[in-house]
Amino acid sequence: MVSFGDIDNKAINTIRVLAVDAVAKANSGHPGAPMGLAPVAHTLFKNYLRCNPKNPDWYNRDRFVLSNGHGCMLLYVMLHLMGYDYSMEDLKNFRQVNSKTPGHPEAELPGIEVTTGPLGQGIANAVGLAIAERHMAASFNKPNYNLIDNKVYCIFGDGCMMEGVASEAASLAGHLKLGNLIAFYDDNHISIDGDINVAFTEDVTQRLEAYGWHVIWVKDGNNDIQGIANAIEEAQKVTDKPTCIRVTTTIGFGSLAEGTHGVHGSPLKADDIVQLKKRFGFDPEKKFNVDEDVYNLYGNVAKEGAQLEQQWNKLLESYAKEYPKEHAELTRRIKGELPAGWEKALPTYTPADSAVASRKLSEIVLTKIHDVLPELVGGSADLTGSNLTRWKDAIDFQDPSTHLGDHTGRYIRYGVREHGMGAIMNGLAAYGGIIPYGGTFLNFVSYAAGAVRLSALSQHQVIWVATHDSIGLGEDGPTHQPIETLAHLRAIPNLAVWRPADGNEASAAYKVAIESRHTPSVLALSRQNLPQLEGSSIEKAMKGGYTLVAQDKPDVILVSTGSEVYICVDAVKKLAEEGIKAGVVSLPDWHTFDLQSEEYRLSVLPHDVPILSVEVMSTLGWQEYSHEQFGINRFGVSGPYQKIYEYFEFTPEGIAKRAKDTIKFYEGRPIRSPVNRAFKQVL
């Protein structure tokens, strides 16, 4: 059992006043949570969190997530004190442009595991991190070689508990019996609107216990650091359940406004800062002051962390001698390297091959590549049979006690939890050594929009298998038929949104998604069968867009995606009967196409030719690639998909009609390629 002395109280109060000074200097931020949570952070970082500040990426480090990310100055102060690459100047530059201390934690910064801020995301990410540890440990640990045995710690608050994504993830964590997950609930009863009694009066303890969590309550989180330590040690012994340590704290502890929402998101007033520092034994004239004994305290902890990593490295060396194959595989995955020649497993197609739904093409790819890509870990939000995301001999990721699978399993049953799935996949990706994918209907990726956005912002390699991608899903009707979804997803920076038109394009989508280490991908896949196209190839499609049907001096170019491409090809034949030359461009992913050179893009969508886009959903955004747009800017209808396509005139005849109208409109008018935008910025 650890013991505490006066230096611990001094360190805790140092955390508090540093947070107050940083927020005051920025004149922006949230001082209340860091002040209330300082005892938790100190106790955890000083005594239990295994990490090496000189190597924040040590693979077997304990992971720490601050889900209530508005309290990020707590984390920045701890990283500074522990000796991570955060100077006092970085603390002084809190919330300034391009500083290392932005307004919420961002994953690309040292010591920050995941980007948090939107409430509930962090605790859900922590569930993903815990799943990843369990899976990697089961896959690589051997007798006498517990190479992977880290804990996942997370702090979350009332706001997180109110967000549905946290409930989804916590429910799954309880089902999966994630005993490596220890979360601290900051029970301070305050949100932006004031006391949470105005909106949130449920019993959080009972709720988490109902999910299958072990719950410990520390009633005086402001002062009882021994109680916090005892709770952590109890939690570490619970191996068959995730643990929540409920810590009742006072937001803004020590402030004149403590316990009120006034200290939640505003700097303390000058007179309040003076009395606070006097109360805690600090010189009110000094700002950003840390005594040497406090630095030494945390410096010794950092040295112990470095020694832990050295011990682990020696264990890894011995493991390499006894298990060379497993060692090579583990180190490859930690480095994020792909197996040599893995892409040879991707299927290719010719026009003689049968028509196949692109969701089925996706299943074929997964079946072909899962053996050569063991880091591929997938699942579905209760739509496995529709998304076709599970290969036949896959093992489910489950706690072995359930007899439903085990921790080596690579298929996760997420249940009807799209948002939780998205946030958990971010955690899986952040852990390292895993490429996660998850399935749902394209329309319901919208449910997970918050997690998708954070994937792109954080540069997590996450793959969404988004089936039933259009009005082509048919009878389920407008509630399920995505109209605006692709426009929304395409507007997100650093997100690849693929809509493959045939088997070669589906293979290309997977190839680019798996090789894009810092870009998430959405694969929009059809329910209905699509023919294999003449002129398509993996190599061409990997550019995001290419000329499928070439013409010498075409009268019009039809640019399309997915299930409408082959209809455009048939429309070309209709137009040819009238002496009109039409080319076809397949544009499966705008993001990847935008990364190509201007010369290439203009060769595909050239000057001096009118361009008509064809896609059975919102036309928003197509103005970047076409002069005229044929789409659906209303909700769909219910019925057999062929009848719906006819109803909206997405037929060879309907497309040909609009192509002729486009040609007629631009006769004698100057035309410039819509893609020639020098000011367009692409990440």
Side-chain angles (χ1 to χ4, degrees):
M1 179 177 293
V2 298
S3 59
F4 298 94
D6 291 341
I7 185 62
D8 294 283
N9 289 321
K10 183 177 182 180
I12 289 168
N13 291 329
T14 298
I15 296 167
R16 287 169 168 150
V17 296
L18 265 183
V20 166
D21 280 344
V23 173
K25 186 176 187 301
N27 196 30
S28 175
H30 300 73
M35 295 167 72
L37 285 167
V40 171
H42 168 76
T43 306
L44 176 63
F45 276 74
K46 172 180 172 282
N47 299 288
Y48 301 104
L49 189 75
R50 297 184 307 172
C51 61
N52 180 9
K54 300 305 178 187
N55 181 16
D57 296 327
W58 169 35
Y59 193 68
N60 200 40
R61 68 191 181 278
D62 289 338
R63 273 43 171 201
F64 173 76
V65 176
L66 184 68
S67 188
N68 45 341
H70 56 268
C72 57
M73 187 42 67
L74 174 72
L75 181 50
Y76 298 147
V77 167
M78 294 311 304
L79 294 174
H80 167 73
L81 294 174
M82 288 283 290
Y84 286 81
D85 187 18
Y86 289 83
S87 67
M88 189 64 81
E89 285 302 310
D90 291 324
L91 299 187
K92 293 177 180 179
N93 285 327
F94 180 48
R95 291 195 162 211
Q96 303 309 302
V97 175
N98 291 328
S99 78
K100 288 173 65 176
T101 50
H104 290 85
E106 296 183 14
E108 71 272 13
L109 297 167
I112 310 294
E113 301 291 352
V114 290
T115 301
T116 58
L119 294 176
Q121 291 289 330
I123 181 64
N125 294 165
V127 174
L129 290 165
I131 292 172
E133 187 278 337
R134 280 283 188 257
H135 174 71
M136 295 297 284
S139 300
F140 290 101
N141 286 357
K142 300 291 182 182
N144 301 318
Y145 288 100
N146 280 335
L147 277 178
I148 301 167
D149 62 354
N150 64 276
K151 297 289 186 182
V152 179
Y153 296 97
C154 177
I155 295 177
F156 67 102
D158 291 305
C160 295
M161 286 304 293
M162 293 186 219
E163 288 285 1
V165 64
S167 299
E168 293 180 25
S171 173
L172 185 60
H175 163 74
L176 293 174
K177 303 180 184 294
L178 297 177
N180 56 343
L181 173 59
I182 299 173
F184 300 86
Y185 167 40
D186 183 19
D187 178 30
N188 66 28
H189 274 258
I190 294 295
S191 65
I192 292 175
D193 275 1
D195 192 298
I196 60 170
N197 285 332
V198 301
F200 189 64
T201 51
E202 67 187 41
D203 189 319
V204 172
T205 295
Q206 288 188 353
R207 173 177 162 192
L208 288 171
E209 287 176 343
Y211 286 156
W213 286 58
H214 178 66
V215 181
I216 308 165
W217 189 5
V218 179
K219 295 185 179 181
D220 182 10
N222 301 319
N223 303 290
D224 188 9
I225 53 178
Q226 188 64 61
I228 294 169
N230 294 343
I232 295 172
E233 292 181 10
E234 179 183 337
Q236 290 177 336
K237 295 174 183 176
V238 177
T239 59
D240 62 344
K241 292 181 178 182
T243 294
C244 173
I245 301 174
R246 176 183 174 186
V247 186
T248 299
T249 67
T250 301
I251 192 169
F253 181 77
S255 164
L256 296 174
E258 68 178 16
T260 72
H261 72 281
V263 76
H264 170 80
S266 300
L268 269 61
K269 293 181 172 59
D271 62 336
D272 197 356
I273 296 175
V274 169
Q275 74 80 28
L276 178 79
K277 289 184 177 181
K278 287 181 178 179
R279 174 176 177 175
F280 290 147
F282 293 85
D283 184 346
E285 298 299 318
K286 292 182 179 180
K287 298 179 180 179
F288 295 95
N289 183 59
V290 180
D291 286 345
E292 199 64 28
D293 55 351
V294 173
Y295 275 131
N296 290 337
L297 177 70
Y298 291 113
N300 290 331
V301 175
K303 289 177 183 177
E304 292 173 4
Q307 292 172 358
L308 286 173
E309 184 184 0
Q310 288 179 0
Q311 294 169 11
W312 186 81
N313 288 334
K314 291 179 181 178
L315 185 67
L316 186 62
E317 290 176 7
S318 299
Y319 182 85
K321 295 174 183 177
E322 194 164 347
Y323 301 100
K325 181 180 177 181
E326 289 83 353
H327 173 267
E329 180 67 13
L330 174 61
T331 53
R332 176 189 71 78
R333 289 173 62 171
I334 291 175
K335 292 176 183 176
E337 297 173 349
L338 295 172
W342 76 271
E343 70 280 359
K344 295 176 183 176
L346 290 168
T348 59
Y349 299 84
T350 70
D353 293 320
S354 301
V356 183
S358 55
R359 63 169 174 161
K360 182 67 176 178
L361 293 168
S362 167
E363 181 188 44
I364 293 169
V365 171
L366 292 172
T367 300
K368 295 282 189 181
I369 68 174
H370 77 270
D371 276 340
V372 296
L373 284 176
E375 57 263 59
L376 201 60
V377 175
S380 171
D382 200 52
L383 287 167
T384 297
S386 294
N387 299 149
L388 306 180
T389 40
R390 188 177 188 270
W391 56 90
K392 288 184 179 179
D393 58 348
I395 297 172
D396 284 2
F397 178 88
Q398 299 278 0
D399 188 86
S401 66
T402 65
H403 304 292
L404 297 171
D406 59 47
H407 289 148
T408 68
R410 293 166 56 194
Y411 195 76
I412 301 172
R413 304 284 184 167
Y414 284 103
V416 189
R417 301 182 180 100
E418 291 90 352
H419 202 178
M421 178 174 71
I424 288 168
M425 285 197 292
N426 285 342
L428 288 167
Y431 189 86
I434 291 173
I435 300 175
Y437 72 89
T440 187
F441 289 1
L442 176 61
N443 196 50
F444 303 131
V445 177
S446 298
Y447 273 21
V452 175
R453 185 176 186 273
L454 285 177
S455 297
L457 175 63
S458 307
Q459 302 182 29
H460 291 319
Q461 186 181 20
V462 168
I463 301 173
W464 284 85
V465 180
T467 69
H468 296 62
D469 72 332
S470 72
I471 58 172
L473 66 87
E475 290 84 352
D476 276 338
T479 62
H480 283 52
Q481 294 166 4
I483 297 297
E484 78 295 343
T485 310
L486 284 188
H488 172 201
L489 294 173
R490 286 166 173 163
I492 299 175
N494 191 41
L495 179 65
V497 183
W498 291 87
R499 192 166 183 248
D502 74 349
N504 291 325
E505 291 193 8
S507 290
Y510 268 101
K511 187 172 189 298
V512 176
I514 288 168
E515 291 178 345
S516 298
R517 302 300 297 176
H518 303 291
T519 299
S521 303
V522 176
L523 277 55
L525 306 168
S526 73
R527 179 175 182 259
Q528 72 272 35
N529 289 340
L530 307 179
Q532 310 305 329
L533 299 170
E534 184 175 355
S536 76
S537 72
I538 294 176
E539 292 71 25
K540 290 178 182 177
M542 283 177 61
K543 293 182 180 293
Y546 64 99
T547 299
L548 180 70
V549 176
Q551 299 279 8
D552 181 34
K553 296 182 180 180
D555 299 307
V556 66
I557 290 176
L558 307 175
V559 57
S560 187
T561 72
S563 49
E564 289 73 71
V565 173
Y566 83 91
I567 307 176
C568 287
V569 173
D570 289 343
V572 168
K573 299 171 185 176
K574 292 285 183 184
L575 291 165
E577 293 173 1
E578 301 182 46
I580 298 172
K581 294 193 295 184
V584 176
V585 167
S586 181
L587 200 69
D589 177 38
W590 297 7
H591 174 82
T592 301
F593 183 70
D594 287 345
L595 294 175
Q596 308 307 313
S597 69
E598 183 179 50
E599 180 183 9
Y600 175 77
R601 289 182 287 128
L602 289 174
S603 73
V604 175
L605 298 173
H607 288 299
D608 304 326
V609 181
I611 301 169
L612 171 68
S613 67
V614 180
E615 190 175 60
V616 290
M617 47 196 74
S618 171
T619 60
L620 187 65
W622 273 109
Q623 296 79 7
E624 296 280 340
Y625 308 97
S626 62
H627 302 99
E628 299 296 326
Q629 297 80 40
F630 180 27
I632 302 175
N633 293 311
R634 50 154 285 184
F635 293 112
V637 295
S638 178
Y641 84 88
Q642 299 94 332
K643 297 294 185 181
I644 299 176
Y645 268 75
E646 291 172 6
Y647 177 81
F648 286 112
E649 297 188 21
F650 282 91
T651 61
E653 294 79 9
I655 295 170
K657 172 187 172 184
R658 287 161 178 82
K660 288 186 288 185
D661 289 344
T662 300
I663 294 169
K664 183 177 180 181
F665 179 82
Y666 284 97
E667 282 179 351
R669 297 174 184 263
I671 303 172
R672 288 187 61 81
S673 172
V675 304
N676 189 19
R677 305 270 180 94
F679 57 81
K680 186 173 182 180
Q681 296 183 10
V682 179
L683 289 179

